[in-house]
Amino acid sequence: MPLQAGTRLGPYEIVSLLGVGGMGEVYCASDTKLGRQVALKVLPDALAMDSERMTRFTREAHVLASLNHPNIAAIYGVEGPAIVMELVEGKDLTVPLPLDEALPIARQIAEALEAAHDKGIVHRDLKPANIKIRPDGVVKVLDFGLATAPVAASGADSANSPTLTIASQAGVIMGTAGYMSPEQASGRPVDRRSDIWSFGVVLWEMLCGRRLFQGETLMQTLAEVVRGDVDLTTLPASTPLVIRELLRRCLDRNVKTRLRDIGEARVVIQEYLANPSASVAAPGPSGRLTFRTFAAFAAALTFIAAGVVYWQRRTPVPESPTVKFVLTPPEGYAYNPLYLAVSPDGRHLAAQMIPNQGKRSIGIRDLDSTTTRILAGTEGATNLFWSPDSRSIGFLADDKLKRMDAAGGPVQVICDVGRTLYGATWNASGVILFATLNQPLQRVAASGGTPVALLKLEASEAGHRYPRFLPDGQRLLYSVSAPNARRGIYLASMDGKEPARQILGVEGEVTFAPSANPEVGYLFFRRGDALLAA
């Protein structure tokens, strides 16, 4: 039963109830000794009546009280069953926010987490409800460490439920369903990388204006957290590449490859805010696409390699000139640089077109032309790739792999693949290889059929990604996602006679391009914002 106004807890006199959550009731109270107002969080009976838990919690409260940072709401101490905290005046974090408002807030959140992590403190319950914005713009992160001790479950079932615990065979799940890390939602031990995941979820919500994970019930939400897709293409088109890449690293389900230090996130945001023009960004309102934007994205590898192949087919010249150009989309559209593909003959660009209104579709542009043709029937298409004769386009839409002629016409369904596609490639023998989440490479006939695994997924491998046929159409390159030495770029063959072998110790998309010497070729790959060749 809520405490009434005037009730005393030591020197603190209750003024009013501020809120109720799974971790207890929060009151505005008057500190009669120091003449100030504070926030009192009165702990649930399950915690307050357990002497062992209270002893541990009191010890943790002393550690948390040592946090002295402008972006952390201070903890003053413990008074009986209540935690005494700084009363933060201001508004709750609301979404969506424009980029120039969201990033300064995210930077301050990162600074708060960094200060806590430096002292070995993990928040475990970062969410918009625990973030306040003061009238002067200072961000305050609340409830640091309050989810460190088990308490009774709240029974709530929404993605934005109060802090909750669920006892399970694997352990105890503590936090808020829609903002938990996958390891937290699975009841596994957590460390500061769990806070980094939650930071990514909160930043996503600030930019997109909607929750990243939200099921109809609590268990459905947890399932989404553990297995649901994280589709970066749903971010606003104006989101800079550096922020997209930051979100990708924060929202990596593999804790071994997730961003390891929230200070790195703070630096990325800080550097972007200091000089936005120096960062590679997705197209803004004009939708202009520069070569630099191409190179910054993995799709640029296709573009560069196709250009090299095309160049080698032409008459050699003593020196290869540097070519700079800008592609401007048709009025009312912008190019989505996440989904670009240049045809093998180097003559055509396929891109996902972002309209001012309506659904995104594939646009085809001849590189010697100024016009772009929108392909009807390709609404929502992503992950574009070309046929080897440059006449057809493959793509993902409606959880299916599809194809259609670049000149237009009916769309043909090839097979079901699910919501996530990590690259596809097509050879002259009519075989398509593709990669999906946590699966080995799959092969399917370009005419349609049932996919079969091409390779075996080793026990230490998290999945195969980004297949790319070499010019002979029999050998292929692909990326192995793994937390150990297995991680890298591999070479394999379609007939299985040549065992797969690692040729580069990096993970990601790679493209092969021949040189003037037929015995030598180059591998183009990305490291950060740099394009490298080997």
Side-chain angles (χ1 to χ4, degrees), residues 223-247:
E224 280 289 306
V225 169
V226 174
R227 296 189 298 271
D229 292 333
V230 178
D231 188 357
L232 293 175
T233 64
T234 60
L235 288 165
S238 59
T239 306
L241 171 63
V242 291
I243 304 303
R244 291 176 184 268
E245 179 66 11
L246 174 61
L247 281 167

Side-chain angles (χ1 to χ4, degrees), residues 242-259:
V242 291
I243 304 303
R244 291 176 184 268
E245 179 66 11
L246 174 61
L247 281 167
R248 185 190 70 79
R249 292 291 311 282
C250 291
L251 297 173
D252 190 334
R253 283 192 171 82
N254 186 344
V255 294
K256 299 291 187 180
T257 53
R258 188 181 304 160
L259 192 72

